[in-house]
Amino acid sequence: NEAPSGTYVAGRIEDISYLQLEKLTDFSFVNNMMEIYSRRIGQGFLLNTAVTRDAERVTAEEIRLQANELESSLGGVYSRLAEEMQQPLARQLIRQLDSQLAKIEPVILTGVESLSRNSEHEQIMGYLNDLTILNNVPEMMLADLKLPAVAQMLATNRGLDTDVFMKSAEEKQAEQQAAQQQAAQSQLMQSAAESVGGQAGQPPMS
């Protein structure tokens, strides 16, 4: 207190220090372990945010591959649990709730089945995008390609059932026959109308 301004005096750090817990290292360890377990749980429940690596440049294809890998490796586990555990438990709870509802068969959607709608939509959109790429193929190559076989292979690689949304040979043949019959009927009607018009334009016979 009596020292002039700008000078320094010797002292002890204990006289001016404040109380510290010094638990930063311990808290950092707990925080790191919580992040590891959170990531593991997120991967177990197929959360896309859990499989995205922490980096500046993460491509959409990388995220898609990681999500597909998790779906393939863990989706079967959830499907099996739904069949062996959740569905019997749902039946029992329905019977306990109301005996009149016992005839209702519960359907458990989990694992791959719960993702099927969104996944199927994405696969169909991807399949259509694959078909648009064929427009960029040179004409000399298109002449040598079997386009129906290529389209079938693209759909198969994406796990799509082409029988659901693509016409069969019989359906296309039936549509062609119907179109031919309609064209023939239209031609007959046009010929009949022209014949009637020609007869109406002729002078009456004396």
Side-chain angles (χ1 to χ4, degrees), residues 30-100:
V30 174
N31 186 35
N32 293 335
M33 295 302 298
M34 290 177 60
E35 290 181 356
I36 293 174
Y37 290 142
S38 299
R39 180 174 292 274
R40 289 181 180 177
I41 294 174
Q43 292 176 350
F45 284 93
L46 306 180
L47 296 179
N48 291 335
T49 55
V51 301
T52 305
R53 62 186 179 92
D54 187 8
E56 294 182 358
R57 298 180 180 179
V58 181
T59 62
E61 185 65 22
E62 181 180 355
I63 297 176
R64 189 178 299 109
L65 289 175
Q66 293 172 346
N68 291 335
E69 181 181 358
L70 286 176
E71 180 181 347
S72 301
S73 60
L74 300 178
V77 176
Y78 294 121
S79 300
R80 180 59 61 88
L81 289 176
E83 180 180 356
E84 296 183 354
M85 183 185 71
Q86 295 178 345
Q87 193 163 14
L89 180 61
R91 294 195 189 100
Q92 182 179 359
L93 293 176
I94 289 176
R95 288 195 298 267
Q96 293 178 357
L97 181 63
D98 191 347
S99 60
Q100 297 181 355

Side-chain angles (χ1 to χ4, degrees), residues 175-186:
E175 289 183 355
Q176 290 177 359
Q177 292 178 355
Q180 291 176 358
Q181 292 177 359
Q182 185 177 2
Q185 292 178 357
S186 300

Side-chain angles (χ1 to χ4, degrees), residues 160-189:
L160 297 175
D161 185 8
T162 56
D163 295 336
V164 176
F165 58 87
M166 293 189 68
K167 300 176 182 178
S168 62
E170 292 78 7
E171 292 175 344
K172 291 190 291 186
Q173 185 177 2
E175 289 183 355
Q176 290 177 359
Q177 292 178 355
Q180 291 176 358
Q181 292 177 359
Q182 185 177 2
Q185 292 178 357
S186 300
Q187 185 66 28
L188 289 176
M189 294 176 62

Side-chain angles (χ1 to χ4, degrees), residues 194-205:
E194 292 177 354
S195 177
V196 172
Q199 293 179 0
Q202 294 180 355
M205 298 179 62

Side-chain angles (χ1 to χ4, degrees), residues 66-134:
Q66 293 172 346
N68 291 335
E69 181 181 358
L70 286 176
E71 180 181 347
S72 301
S73 60
L74 300 178
V77 176
Y78 294 121
S79 300
R80 180 59 61 88
L81 289 176
E83 180 180 356
E84 296 183 354
M85 183 185 71
Q86 295 178 345
Q87 193 163 14
L89 180 61
R91 294 195 189 100
Q92 182 179 359
L93 293 176
I94 289 176
R95 288 195 298 267
Q96 293 178 357
L97 181 63
D98 191 347
S99 60
Q100 297 181 355
L101 300 178
K103 298 180 180 180
I104 299 177
E105 181 65 20
V107 178
I108 307 298
L109 295 179
T110 185
V112 177
E113 294 183 359
S114 64
L115 301 174
S116 61
R117 294 182 180 177
N118 187 26
S119 176
E120 185 177 2
H121 176 266
E122 292 180 355
Q123 293 298 336
I124 291 177
M125 296 302 296
Y127 172 67
L128 295 178
N129 290 331
D130 293 341
L131 294 179
T132 58
I133 298 177
L134 296 177

